Amino acid sequence: MIKIEVLSEKNINGGNLSDLESDNVAWADVVNPTKDELKIIGKLVGLGSSDIESLLDENARPMINNLEKYSVIVFSTPLKEESVKPLLIFISKSTNDLITIREGESRSINRINSWKVERKVTMFEKGPTYILFRLMDEILTTYNMIIEDIDEKLGKIEDMIYSEENHKEKNAEKQKRQDGK
């Protein structure tokens, strides 16, 4: 599914593919792309649909590359479910657009989409590079939240282990005292 948002007269409106070639600031977010959608985006950014598919492979390594019309960033991002998959980010060199392509729901993009309109307008007014920075910041925030969650779970596991070890030590000492009698 291709969702296009465009800044127009101090508001964010739904857009279409032609907005990606205009001077308006536009963000196309492509979720679970079909073969036809990959062909459309591929033609726009100057890559074959099979090349885009290979960049979406979960084993694709993060990278930054320059194409003729776009710069592309491949970045692994946490999805809504407990997995990490590549997020492709294309930023235009000549127009004011940004294209994201992903398989699965992104917590980071969902947070940006939940912002109040005024906040999103402010982000769009600063251009596609600023949208990219905000997106990267949200991705890093998501990673940080995951790390904090893991740290909390590890703390509970450590508490259980030390509690068991302490219990075993006390039992061992008790046994020694009983054996010594």
Side-chain angles (χ1 to χ4, degrees):
M1 178 184 87
I2 301 176
K3 175 186 170 191
I4 300 174
E5 293 182 306
V6 182
L7 177 64
S8 176
E9 298 177 19
K10 295 264 185 198
N11 203 3
I12 305 294
N13 299 307
N16 56 51
L17 291 169
S18 65
D19 289 310
L20 298 176
E21 298 177 292
S22 74
D23 286 336
N24 293 334
V25 176
W27 178 5
D29 184 31
V30 185
V31 183
N32 300 319
T34 65
K35 299 260 187 212
D36 288 338
E37 289 170 337
L38 288 177
K39 286 179 187 173
I40 291 167
I41 298 299
K43 184 176 180 183
L44 190 67
V45 301
L47 268 182
S49 58
S50 61
D51 293 328
I52 295 174
E53 278 183 292
S54 68
L55 293 174
L56 285 170
D57 183 87
E58 63 186 47
N59 296 317
R61 66 180 189 84
M63 65 164 216
I64 299 173
N65 201 352
N66 248 334
L67 305 174
E68 187 177 329
K69 298 185 215 175
Y70 283 80
S71 294
V72 62
I73 301 169
V74 179
F75 196 82
S76 294
T77 181
L79 298 180
K80 208 170 185 179
E81 59 275 358
E82 299 294 321
S83 65
V84 176
K85 288 196 176 178
L87 170 68
L88 308 185
I89 305 168
F90 294 92
I91 187 162
S92 176
K93 295 179 184 179
S94 60
T95 59
N96 286 319
D97 64 283
L98 178 88
I99 302 169
T100 51
I101 305 175
R102 58 199 160 93
E103 292 178 343
E105 289 297 319
S106 164
R107 293 187 241 181
S108 307
I109 292 175
N110 287 349
R111 268 198 312 279
I112 291 172
N113 286 333
S114 72
W115 289 355
K116 292 182 179 179
V117 173
E118 298 81 17
R119 186 174 180 193
K120 282 183 83 172
V121 166
T122 300
M123 178 180 73
F124 271 67
E125 286 176 334
K126 294 179 180 182
T129 303
Y130 187 77
I131 297 171
L132 170 65
F133 292 154
R134 292 300 312 143
L135 176 57
M136 298 299 279
D137 188 50
E138 287 297 330
I139 291 168
L140 294 174
T141 297
T142 301
Y143 273 121
N144 192 44
M145 290 170 18
I146 291 169
I147 289 169
E148 288 173 359
D149 185 51
I150 290 170
D151 187 48
E152 185 178 313
K153 288 176 182 175
L154 283 174
K156 288 178 182 178
I157 292 169
E158 285 175 347
D159 290 345
M160 287 179 4
I161 290 170
Y162 290 130
S163 174
E164 279 182 32
E165 285 178 6
N166 191 22
H167 182 70
K168 287 178 184 177
E169 286 175 12
K170 285 182 182 178
N171 283 343
E173 285 177 27
K174 191 176 183 182
Q175 190 64 41
K176 280 182 187 176
R177 279 183 271 161
Q178 287 177 350
D179 291 344
K181 290 184 179 179

